[in-house]
Amino acid sequence: MKIENTALVFIDLINDFKFDGGDNLHASTEEMLPNLIKLREFAKEKSIPVIYVNDHYGLWQADFHKIIDYCKNEKSEEIIEKMKPDDDDYFLIKPQHSAFFQTPLHALLTELNRSHIILAGIAGDICILFTAKDAYMYKLSLSIPKNCIASEESENNNYALYLMESVMDADISPV
């Protein structure tokens, strides 16, 4: 991995966890939170662009403050407060699972001259997996630290990691 061509992409970290399976996903996300913090600190120290791509929750303005206000509750508050974007980070909204689907992510990465992405966030077996597949199709190289993604069920997370490593040639070394 060359630092100068790398971007960090956080997926769906602003989350209300109010859905079937949300309690399990919340517990897994809390468990990996220290690793996410380390990863973001690493990116900031190395001047790696940090890009948040998040579900929009019906708030199509792509304003992370509005999405934070909507998602913040007793369960999600700690994660949101520790992982919310800084003003110099990029913030995109997505309509579905992949961070590339109907978003400007690929154009942004091209503009930033980035051909390697580090993916982290939730859910590993859905949104991270779909994003990794699209990144692979765009011929981007991938790092997906296995201790920086979470899913509702650990077996599903492990299977997604297996696919991303074996099929999409992702480096899944932990942070």
Side-chain angles (χ1 to χ4, degrees):
M1 169 179 68
K2 289 183 181 177
I3 298 298
E4 61 273 3
N5 74 338
T6 298
L8 171 58
V9 179
F10 283 128
I11 298 176
D12 289 338
L13 289 179
I14 302 171
N15 200 298
D16 65 5
F17 299 100
K18 289 184 178 179
F19 49 86
D20 286 341
D23 289 340
N24 288 350
L25 185 58
H26 176 261
S28 297
T29 304
E30 273 193 325
E31 197 174 297
M32 73 163 174
L33 188 56
N35 301 321
L36 293 173
I37 293 167
K38 280 186 212 170
L39 182 58
R40 186 174 59 189
E41 288 171 353
F42 170 78
K44 296 288 184 175
E45 287 169 12
K46 301 293 184 186
S47 298
I48 294 172
V50 178
I51 305 166
Y52 287 76
V53 185
N54 215 90
D55 286 337
H56 59 76
Y57 294 94
L59 305 169
W60 284 96
Q61 290 87 8
D63 180 339
F64 72 84
H65 298 289
K66 288 182 181 180
I67 294 175
I68 286 172
D69 289 344
Y70 179 86
C71 289
K72 195 181 279 188
N73 58 49
E74 195 173 285
K75 188 184 297 184
S76 65
E77 185 170 17
E78 179 186 8
I79 293 165
I80 290 173
E81 282 304 312
K82 290 185 176 176
M83 291 306 302
K84 67 184 177 186
D86 293 335
D87 288 335
D88 63 340
D89 293 332
Y90 299 92
F91 185 81
L92 308 173
I93 56 173
K94 62 184 180 68
Q96 294 216 1
H97 309 303
S98 173
F100 288 97
F101 180 71
Q102 295 183 356
T103 76
L105 179 58
H106 188 252
L108 176 59
L109 293 168
T110 301
E111 178 76 18
L112 296 173
N113 199 28
R114 305 297 159 148
S115 59
H116 180 84
I117 58 174
I118 303 169
L119 292 179
I122 55 180
D125 61 338
I126 302 170
C127 298
I128 304 288
L129 179 62
F130 283 44
T131 300
K133 184 269 305 171
D134 286 347
Y136 180 76
M137 297 297 285
Y138 280 121
K139 300 192 182 313
L140 300 170
S141 60
L142 292 163
S143 293
I144 306 167
K146 63 183 172 184
N147 61 350
C148 289
I149 70 166
S151 301
E152 291 175 26
E153 302 296 332
S154 62
E155 303 82 32
N156 296 349
N157 203 63
N158 290 337
Y159 185 63
L161 283 163
Y162 163 76
L163 289 173
M164 291 182 283
E165 181 181 42
S166 65
V167 177
M168 295 158 223
D169 201 28
D171 176 359
I172 63 166
S173 302
V175 165

